[in-house]
Amino acid sequence: MSARPLIIDCDPGQDDAVALLLAFASAQEFDLLGITAVAGNVPLARTEDNARRIRDLAGRPEVPVYAGCPRPMVREPVSAEYIHGETGIDGADLPEPSRPPESAHAVDFLVDTLSAATEPITLATLGPLTNVALAIVKNPAILANVREIVTMGGAIGLGNVTPAAEFNVHADPHAAHVVFEAGVPLTMIGLDVTHQAIATPPRLEAIRALGTAPSSAVCGMLDLYGAKNVEAYHHGAPMHDPCVIAYLLSPGLFEGRDMRVDVELAEGHCFGRTVCDLHGRTGTAANARVLERVDADGFFAMLIERLARLPMAPI
């Protein structure tokens, strides 16, 4: 089976960093065409820099990284340094990137690459959907070459940045609205799933035991990121963004169903909430596959096995 053409849009973030490492370690499964960075967990200057540092850590310097949108489409910018630290990948002491980002803007890269594609491309989105939404607005014809979009964002239940809303959607709900209304196959991986995949101390020790530079960086990041989550949720680090890559690698680890998802755009307590029609009350056709469960042990077994494939330089 040939490798799946893939573009990852992200805002690293410790959990984005782990997701990128999982993708970089899966070269047989993914033809990774590029990484696009967007403002989100930390400002754009940090996210694109972090993506390049993680690329170098994985030993994949050939993968291009494109800087994208520095702010949301409409709302005022928000970020999450209070969770991810000033750099976004606090806990990983990584050297300066080996080369600069590509000169093209991420939105232009998305439009040009999708327009020229000879086979459909999968989009894995790990942050606010600004880059992807603006690419769709700029040239809706690109949707014909999108195989599917798998997005980490939203929730059936409660939020994490407000009582109602999850961070990625809340950070740019207007962009999320554009993407959810785009009419392409869309899988939503929300908090209901990602809070089942927790980096517990035994799972972290299994990663640490690999004894490599990537495993050391992962554990350093997750130690700090997990401590913040213990304060908020009384458990360790949830693997939000790695669930996207894991789903693409092994969808059988997950369970979900098709449903209608609308994004709340009205200002107020529910701004940025994903309204999931769990029981088909509206009679409106489904626009997303919404995942609800993950085999957490299977997920971490895959993650550890893939991290072991990365460069084995000792810590």
Side-chain angles (χ1 to χ4, degrees), residues 248-292:
L248 290 170
L249 289 168
S250 184
L253 291 173
F254 298 82
E255 297 178 29
R257 49 184 151 161
D258 296 339
M259 64 183 75
R260 176 70 192 185
V261 179
D262 291 293
V263 179
E264 180 57 65
L265 300 179
E267 295 286 348
H269 292 303
C270 291
F271 181 60
R273 180 176 177 81
T274 45
V275 181
C276 299
D277 190 4
L278 191 63
H279 301 294
R281 304 297 190 203
T282 65
T284 307
N287 62 347
R289 179 77 170 170
V290 179
L291 302 188
E292 299 175 87

Side-chain angles (χ1 to χ4, degrees), residues 22 52 70 75 88 99 107 124 134 193 222 233 237 257 296:
L22 181 54
R52 291 183 289 128
R75 68 157 300 159
R99 61 187 179 92
V107 172
L134 287 176
V193 174
L222 295 184
Y233 302 107
R257 49 184 151 161

